[in-house]
Amino acid sequence: MDKKTVTTIAYLSRLAIDPKNEDKITKDLENIIKFVDQLDSVDTNGISVLTNPLEKTAKTRDDKVTAKNRKDTFLERAPESNEDYFLVPRVVE
Amino acid sequence: MSIQFKTIKDLLTMLKNKDISNKELVKDTYSLIKSNVHLNAFVTLNEEMSLKKAEELDKNKSSGNLAGIPIAQKDLFCTKDLRTTCGSKMLSNFIPPYSATVIENLENAGCISIGKTNMDEFAMGSSNETSFYGNVANPWGSNLVPGGSSGGSAAAVAAGIVSAATGTDTGGSIRQPASLCGITGLKPTYGRISRWGMIAFASSLDQAGPMARTAEDCAIMLNEMCSHDLRDTTSLDEEIPDFTSDLSTSIKGLKIGIVKEFDLSMLDNSVAQVFEESKKHYESLGAEFVEISLPNISLSVPTYYVVAPAECSSNLSRFDGVKFGKRCENPQNLEDLYIRTRSEGFGDEVKRRILIGSYVLSAGFYDAYYKKAQQVRRLIKNDFDNAFKKVDTIMTPTTRGAAFSSGSKGDDPIQMYLEDLFTIPANLAGLPALSIPNGMVDGKPIGLQLIGNFLQESKLLQIAHNFQISSDWHLKTPSGDIN
């Protein structure tokens, strides 16, 4: 873990790192990664992954429309919107 | 008659006998909230609506099993038209358009959602020191942490403000604060309670549960919280028993597993002693102890700190300043909007976990970390499957010690992560587990953890209730002056 890696993953996470904290964050992340490196000691050859403790296939429900149009309810919670859309700064000049 | 430190069962009797009206109960609850404001246990109160509901209940009797009972709701559950912050600046203006299934279920049973409790930001923390809304104090001592992340809920119950509260538990966030505050808390089997309307942290680990003064009250709460919910694909379609029906059944002949790999000599002498005394207590109730082996258990915390951040980084990508929550001022372009909104809206611990998650999920490291951790997670679950062939429950301390002072874990995140050493394994395996008060260390409460096999909440509650009807640790109340 070095500052360059931290800068890359911060960008992937769309987070800005305060230059004042860069050293501390790099050191913390390095320590955490060292800590989880203990997992290397285990032989996991042929062991299947466990992604969810239930391991059941999600049940499907009848393919019927149940949602109501609540456009106004949701748009009014947006930081910026017009009658139909969420608004963000212009993307295409 | 004071309502402080009353159980749900007590309050239901008081309401039934008309010792108190619904409105008086709600008013007295708000008086207790106000006289305990130094705890900072609540982020948002729901006073007007609660009084209105109580007045309605006084006029028209409700048949709900929890009619009129004030409940504190963790601020992680969406509550319709009531601000829901998840302890974050990011959601400081968020008014949900719907309620979580758990909230709906409790309110349909007649509960009054009295307010939203403080918590570690997005449930990431074990001391309630990461909330944007300030630290929560432990009712046992104002300089002590209440544990986390459900610290506000635990403090509200421990201070006797409410008889019960909701919590959520991803790596110990119900059981660890229950232990540090001297109350009872249950994390049910993964899938037992719907996660719909819970703000997600790590979806394969998160589970809601009750926090109360007694195992019996947890059973009463659980009866109302569980449901099969089509809106949550991981919601279990299993029979939901009456969790109160077997509480008093004797536990004679019960086999309790003690984990060989947990070396209790690494704990404080007094903590190990409290644990030994609880073993003797259970022996006197007719239980037998069996040593079991969970060979991979020491890998639980490192496994968790790959799986949970990975799921967190994915779940928290929704907070982008576009559809709801905070947005930065004057964004220059779309990317600036995302980056500044997230950098300003999240606190340090949340950012740290997002960064770890992005790292372990990134192309070059996915197999080495994320896939590896999921394989070790399988080994940990297999260990439990084998152990439960021999025993009915597994007993451990809930925490390594009693409540610590605010700020005392210093700057090292790993020291804080190890706080959940005993609680994380049950989340990884999806198993139910609870914590009950079982002794005092230096005048502070401490908890005992019981882990059960899949869907064995009734048995866990029975084992806990048998302890509580023959001991008085759960009846201790804080004097608020311990350091």
Side-chain angles (χ1 to χ4, degrees):
Chain A
M1 185 69 65
D2 51 28
K3 284 186 191 174
K4 193 172 162 252
T5 311
V6 172
T7 308
T8 309
I9 57 172
Y11 177 69
L12 290 173
S13 314
R14 295 300 183 271
L15 288 171
I17 303 274
D18 183 346
K20 279 196 311 239
N21 298 333
E22 207 178 5
D23 287 334
K24 160 96 174 97
I25 291 170
T26 308
K27 191 175 149 266
D28 282 348
L29 294 183
E30 192 179 349
N31 287 339
I32 294 166
I33 293 301
K34 265 190 204 151
F35 176 71
V36 303
D37 274 341
Q38 291 176 62
L39 298 177
D40 274 349
S41 65
V42 199
D43 180 5
T44 50
N45 254 330
I47 304 294
S48 58
V49 298
L50 180 68
T51 50
N52 182 299
L54 295 181
E55 296 193 273
K56 288 187 178 175
T57 311
K59 274 179 75 168
T60 52
R61 55 185 164 81
D62 294 340
D63 187 16
K64 284 184 192 152
V65 177
T66 54
K68 292 180 193 131
N69 186 345
R70 300 175 69 192
K71 186 181 74 180
D72 294 341
T73 308
F74 292 107
L75 282 176
E76 74 186 19
R77 283 162 174 82
E80 214 181 330
S81 61
N82 64 15
E83 279 176 15
D84 291 310
Y85 297 102
F86 298 109
L87 296 184
V88 296
R90 180 183 293 275
V91 177
V92 181
E93 292 297 335
Chain B
M1 196 191 288
S2 169
I3 59 154
Q4 196 176 18
F5 302 117
K6 292 281 187 279
T7 62
I8 294 176
K9 219 180 150 195
D10 295 336
L11 294 177
L12 287 171
T13 308
M14 285 166 74
L15 285 169
K16 192 176 161 212
N17 295 344
K18 301 214 180 324
D19 296 328
I20 193 167
S21 71
N22 289 283
K23 191 175 174 184
E24 284 165 341
L25 175 54
V26 167
K27 278 190 146 178
D28 289 357
T29 303
Y30 282 107
S31 298
L32 285 171
I33 290 174
K34 280 155 200 171
S35 61
N36 282 285
V37 77
H38 61 282
L39 295 176
N40 197 25
F42 289 84
V43 176
T44 306
L45 298 179
N46 190 27
E47 194 163 358
E48 200 182 317
M49 282 301 294
S50 296
L51 282 166
K52 203 173 142 204
K53 188 163 175 186
E55 277 168 14
E56 279 165 20
L57 283 171
D58 279 328
K59 276 187 219 144
N60 306 305
K61 232 180 132 230
S62 156
S63 55
N65 289 331
L66 292 173
I69 299 297
I71 300 286
Q73 309 285 16
K74 185 175 183 181
D75 206 14
L76 181 144
F77 295 99
C78 284
T79 42
K80 187 171 189 291
D81 300 329
L82 180 64
R83 186 171 75 135
T84 299
T85 72
C86 220
S88 182
K89 182 182 177 186
M90 184 66 90
L91 292 177
S92 51
N93 61 353
F94 178 54
I95 314 278
Y98 63 92
S99 284
T101 301
V102 177
I103 303 289
E104 274 183 355
N105 288 351
L106 286 169
E107 290 182 351
N108 287 341
C111 278
I112 297 180
S113 297
I114 210 92
K116 306 297 291 289
T117 56
N118 205 343
M119 53 179 284
D120 280 299
E121 185 179 8
F122 286 106
M124 297 173 203
S126 307
S127 63
N128 231 292
E129 293 171 295
T130 74
S131 170
F132 177 69
Y133 304 92
N135 295 357
V136 174
N138 189 318
W140 290 84
S142 53
N143 194 38
L144 299 174
V145 303
S149 66
S150 312
S153 289
V157 174
I161 298 168
V162 284
S163 53
T166 50
T168 63
D169 191 314
T170 304
S173 284
I174 287 175
R175 292 159 286 156
Q176 186 257 10
S179 172
L180 269 44
C181 288
I183 64 165
T184 304
L186 167 71
K187 180 201 91 74
T189 306
Y190 180 81
R192 196 50 127 166
I193 294 180
S194 168
R195 290 183 298 110
W196 197 79
M198 267 170 65
I199 295 170
F201 159 16
S203 306
S204 79
L205 302 159
D206 296 342
Q207 182 61 202
M211 304 174 83
R213 308 197 65 77
T214 63
E216 184 174 28
D217 274 4
C218 283
I220 291 170
M221 284 279 283
L222 193 61
N223 273 350
E224 308 305 327
M225 292 171 80
C226 292
S227 60
H228 173 53
D229 187 0
L230 292 174
R231 296 173 295 191
D232 170 6
T233 53
T234 58
S235 166
L236 283 165
D237 189 8
E238 298 282 343
E239 192 200 333
I240 299 165
D242 175 356
F243 294 103
T244 62
S245 63
D246 291 333
L247 287 173
S248 302
T249 308
S250 161
I251 56 164
K252 207 165 186 301
L254 182 91
K255 287 194 169 59
I256 303 180
I258 297 291
V259 183
K260 190 173 86 179
E261 288 79 8
F262 281 146
D263 177 11
L264 298 186
S265 67
M266 68 183 177
L267 303 175
D268 270 8
N269 251 345
S270 38
V271 178
Q273 203 185 328
V274 165
F275 187 74
E276 287 304 320
E277 279 163 18
S278 295
K279 276 175 73 179
K280 282 186 200 142
H281 189 108
Y282 270 116
E283 267 167 354
S284 75
L285 297 176
E288 293 167 36
F289 284 90
V290 179
E291 188 180 80
I292 54 150
S293 176
L294 299 173
N296 297 289
I297 201 76
S298 67
L299 297 165
S300 299
V301 183
T303 300
Y304 179 86
Y305 276 95
V306 174
V307 173
E311 295 185 14
C312 136
S313 76
S314 173
N315 272 323
L316 269 61
S317 62
R318 77 193 54 176
F319 300 105
D320 58 3
V322 176
K323 297 182 226 54
F324 58 96
K326 294 297 277 186
R327 170 183 286 195
C328 67
E329 298 283 335
N330 304 316
Q332 300 304 301
N333 53 49
L334 188 57
E335 189 152 280
D336 181 50
L337 183 154
Y338 292 150
I339 292 177
R340 277 203 294 126
T341 295
R342 291 166 62 78
S343 302
E344 292 166 16
F346 293 138
D348 288 345
E349 182 59 30
V350 172
K351 286 179 189 163
R352 185 150 49 222
R353 297 207 196 183
I354 292 173
L355 292 172
I356 303 166
S358 298
Y359 182 76
V360 300
L361 288 175
S362 60
F365 299 105
Y366 183 93
D367 281 359
Y369 291 105
Y370 189 58
K371 186 179 168 203
K372 183 87 181 179
Q374 289 190 314
Q375 288 172 312
V376 179
R377 187 178 183 183
R378 161 88 54 199
L379 294 175
I380 293 167
K381 183 175 180 287
N382 290 349
D383 288 351
F384 276 110
D385 288 346
N386 288 330
F388 279 116
K389 287 176 189 154
K390 293 183 209 143
V391 295
D392 300 297
T393 183
I394 296 169
M395 190 169 119
T396 76
T398 308
T399 47
R400 295 190 296 168
F404 46 93
S405 309
S406 180
S408 66
K409 294 279 174 192
D411 254 1
D412 181 2
I414 292 169
Q415 280 311 305
M416 192 66 86
Y417 297 171
L418 287 169
E419 189 55 29
D420 295 327
L421 179 72
F422 294 119
T423 49
I424 280 174
N427 297 83
L428 291 171
L431 299 170
L434 58 73
S435 178
I436 51 172
N438 72 325
M440 306 286 278
V441 172
D442 303 328
K444 297 180 277 190
I446 192 162
L448 180 75
Q449 177 178 233
L450 296 157
I451 305 172
N453 206 349
F454 265 96
L455 302 172
Q456 297 290 302
E457 291 86 359
S458 287
K459 187 174 274 178
L460 284 182
L461 290 161
Q462 174 201 353
I463 302 166
H465 182 70
N466 269 266
F467 188 88
Q468 293 186 332
I469 52 175
S470 54
S471 68
D472 62 358
W473 298 113
H474 62 294
L475 301 176
K476 308 267 183 219
T477 55
S479 46
D481 54 5
I482 313 286
N483 275 306

